[in-house]
Amino acid sequence: MESVVSELEGTLLKDYDPFSYFMLVAFEASGLIRFALLLILWPLIQLLNMFGMRDTGLKVMIFVAVAGVSKSEIESVARAVLPKFYMDDLDMDAWKVFSSYDKRVVVTKTPRVMVERFVKEHLRADEVIGSELSFNRFGLATGLVQGDSINTISERVAKIFNNEVPTLGMARHSTTSSSSYDSFSQLCKEQIQPPFKTNQKYNHHPELLRPHPVIFHDGRLVKRPTPATSLLILLWIPLGILLAIIRIMVGSILPFWAIPHISRLFGGKVIVKGKPPHPPSGGNSGVLFVCTHRTLMDPVVLSSVLQRKIPAVTYSISRLSEILSPIPTVRLTRTRHVDAEKIKRELSKGDLVVCPEGTTCREPFLLRFSALFAELTDRIVPVAMNYRVGFFHATTARGWKGLDPIFFFMNPRPVYEVTFLNELPVEATCSAGKSPHDVANYVQRILGATLGFECTNFTRKDKYRVLAGNDGSVSCTSLVDRMMKVVSTFKPFLQ
């Protein structure tokens, strides 16, 4: 059996410095104060690296990033946040070599818990060798690593292979020549170093061309927090909060026809394509706008483009978001016949907005469309919604959704794209004998083609199982539970 052992940082990943990933753990698992503290210590860490004390610098990063953080919170960040940033930094040439072997082992000096999910699920690795975090009896990280796990990589590699010789070792030159690190690659029959060139020699399984994509991810930060980006984020946050308050206040006061024009003065931009339908007249029923779901701002932006308040169907948005919403909201129950009656009643009054995916997706994928909307009306107008932000994501699965609009408006230049497609012809609706599922799948396909997104069969439950470890169901909770949720969400700003 052909086998490969590869270093993660600087080999499978382009960046050899894990600092930005510890910054992500500090921000998402603990808060802004720990995030700032780790950034302040960055010059010291670099100084240690310059004097050949890389292991000491790594231990400083580990301690500051995770000391006092619960094991479950670290695992949550590793599951929901880190894979997206690891994937963005993946060296595809290194991946092609790595994936062409039967048995694949990844070596990292960072804590194993941070990388294991990514390398096993997305890079198809069989084993991960890394440092092991130490936890106290309350399940909180001490900030230390167990024993001498940083410096025993070679022994652990040999143990995994039962003293057999791995076929190929992939590692940086600086690692293989380090006197303080008994290199694992010396155990292998052959060693190669970056940059990698794929050829027939390393192409044992040519069908493995790409790693498993990251479809779902969480966390508030859009960009990987390198030292420069982290400093920029810290300097921007006070201005961003002030800008968000001003934008929300202005948007709640001005009439809808003025919002697209005024938003430009505050850095926002809305790009409109296609021709929107006219408002309903006489006794005609309203149009059902079927939108892709990117953020909770989708129906608000749509209403501002149409210059009239159109009610939106919702399920799991927070009460605060409902209070701040400048448009009417119709809260669904996920009980099919009850929700159907609500939607029919609203359509009899006028236009309505629905997002049949049931939840947001940040990546260029569309989740499976619920077929309920297709059963209730034949007047369907698909609308392709997309957005771009620079600093903060406006969606969350792990945190409090009440802060979603705040984070959206904290971005310096948020951009929304709204593309109106033609109203579905009668022959493409249920009136022509089409099944609701066929109609829903057809709408999903044309919206996906418009945006250049890939259609999937994933659902809301799939997303929340990956990101939050539950099925995304909304249930009544006690006041104490709600308060704990609020406090945990404010951690990036309070701790």
Side-chain angles (χ1 to χ4, degrees), residues 162-201:
N162 294 322
N163 294 320
E164 294 182 4
V165 180
T167 307
L168 180 68
M170 301 169 62
R172 289 172 292 134
H173 176 72
S174 59
T175 298
T176 57
S177 62
S178 173
S179 59
S180 63
Y181 181 46
D182 187 13
S183 173
F184 64 87
S185 65
Q186 296 175 1
L187 301 175
C188 305
K189 296 178 182 178
E190 184 180 357
Q191 300 88 32
I192 58 174
Q193 302 165 357
F196 300 100
K197 294 182 179 180
T198 55
N199 52 45
Q200 190 63 35
K201 179 180 180 180

Side-chain angles (χ1 to χ4, degrees), residues 26-100:
F27 185 86
E28 300 291 351
S30 183
L32 195 61
I33 292 179
R34 192 188 294 263
F35 182 79
L37 177 60
L38 186 53
L39 180 62
I40 291 171
L41 291 175
W42 177 74
L44 173 62
I45 295 169
Q46 291 300 107
L47 194 63
L48 291 171
N49 292 341
M50 288 175 57
F51 285 97
M53 303 172 66
R54 291 186 177 274
D55 288 346
T56 303
L58 177 62
K59 290 177 181 179
V60 171
M61 287 190 284
I62 293 174
F63 182 84
V64 176
V66 304
V69 180
S70 68
K71 184 178 182 179
S72 61
E73 193 66 29
I74 297 173
E75 291 174 343
S76 177
V77 174
R79 177 181 67 242
V81 179
L82 296 181
K84 162 63 177 175
F85 294 96
Y86 284 134
M87 184 64 75
D88 288 345
D89 194 36
L90 183 65
D91 185 326
M92 289 305 300
D93 288 332
W95 153 253
K96 289 176 182 178
V97 175
F98 179 78
S99 64
S100 67

Side-chain angles (χ1 to χ4, degrees), residues 220 241 244 248 296-297 317-321 324 392-396 399-411 485-494:
R220 291 296 189 181
I241 293 174
I248 292 174
L296 87 169
M297 296 298 298
I317 69 171
S318 69
R319 295 297 182 184
L320 177 60
S321 296
L324 294 176
F392 307 106
H393 284 296
T395 60
T396 182
W400 185 40
K401 298 180 184 296
L403 289 182
D404 286 357
I406 308 295
F407 275 104
F408 177 81
F409 287 115
M410 281 176 62
N411 286 286
K485 186 78 168 178
V486 171
V487 170
S488 65
T489 304
F490 273 98
K491 285 193 300 183
F493 295 98
L494 297 179

Side-chain angles (χ1 to χ4, degrees), residues 76-335:
S76 177
V77 174
R79 177 181 67 242
V81 179
L82 296 181
K84 162 63 177 175
F85 294 96
Y86 284 134
M87 184 64 75
D88 288 345
D89 194 36
L90 183 65
D91 185 326
M92 289 305 300
D93 288 332
W95 153 253
K96 289 176 182 178
V97 175
F98 179 78
S99 64
S100 67
Y101 284 79
D102 299 307
K103 184 172 183 177
R104 299 177 282 271
V105 177
V106 171
V107 170
T108 176
K109 282 193 174 183
T110 59
R112 178 183 53 82
V113 67
M114 288 175 55
V115 305
E116 185 170 35
R117 185 180 183 93
F118 169 72
V119 298
K120 284 190 173 181
E121 294 194 3
H122 298 281
L123 302 189
R124 303 182 179 95
D126 299 298
E127 298 289 344
V128 182
I129 299 175
S131 58
E132 301 292 337
L133 291 179
S134 175
F135 296 90
N136 62 22
R137 60 188 180 127
F138 302 106
L140 303 178
T142 63
L144 306 176
V145 294
Q146 293 180 8
D148 199 28
S149 60
I150 286 183
N151 298 314
T152 58
I153 301 296
S154 295
E155 291 87 344
R156 295 166 69 185
V157 170
K159 184 177 180 181
I160 285 179
F161 285 92
N162 294 322
N163 294 320
E164 294 182 4
V165 180
T167 307
L168 180 68
M170 301 169 62
R172 289 172 292 134
H173 176 72
S174 59
T175 298
T176 57
S177 62
S178 173
S179 59
S180 63
Y181 181 46
D182 187 13
S183 173
F184 64 87
S185 65
Q186 296 175 1
L187 301 175
C188 305
K189 296 178 182 178
E190 184 180 357
Q191 300 88 32
I192 58 174
Q193 302 165 357
F196 300 100
K197 294 182 179 180
T198 55
N199 52 45
Q200 190 63 35
K201 179 180 180 180
Y202 300 120
N203 196 19
H204 305 302
H205 299 287
E207 70 277 4
L208 295 178
L209 297 180
R210 296 195 64 83
H212 290 148
V214 177
I215 298 178
F216 303 119
H217 61 94
D218 204 29
R220 291 296 189 181
L221 297 182
V222 173
K223 297 180 179 179
R224 184 159 59 96
T226 61
T229 302
S230 300
L231 179 60
L232 193 58
I233 290 172
L234 286 173
L235 294 175
W236 175 257
I237 282 177
L239 297 175
I241 293 174
L242 179 62
L243 183 59
I245 294 173
I246 294 174
R247 284 169 168 169
I248 292 174
M249 291 180 62
V250 170
S252 62
I253 295 172
L254 293 178
F256 262 73
W257 62 265
I259 292 178
H261 307 287
I262 298 298
S263 64
R264 298 175 186 174
L265 298 177
F266 296 97
K269 184 178 181 181
V270 179
I271 302 172
V272 182
K273 301 176 183 178
K275 185 178 179 181
H278 297 290
S281 58
N284 295 331
S285 63
V287 168
L288 184 63
F289 293 96
V290 178
C291 302
T292 55
H293 201 9
R294 309 307 286 172
T295 77
L296 87 169
M297 296 298 298
D298 294 338
V300 177
V301 173
L302 179 64
S303 292
S304 69
V305 169
L306 296 173
Q307 299 183 6
R308 62 184 189 273
K309 296 183 178 182
I310 301 179
V313 171
T314 67
Y315 172 59
S316 63
I317 69 171
S318 69
R319 295 297 182 184
L320 177 60
S321 296
E322 288 184 330
I323 293 172
L324 294 176
S325 175
I327 63 174
T329 58
V330 181
R331 181 176 284 264
L332 298 185
T333 63
R334 295 282 168 150
T335 302

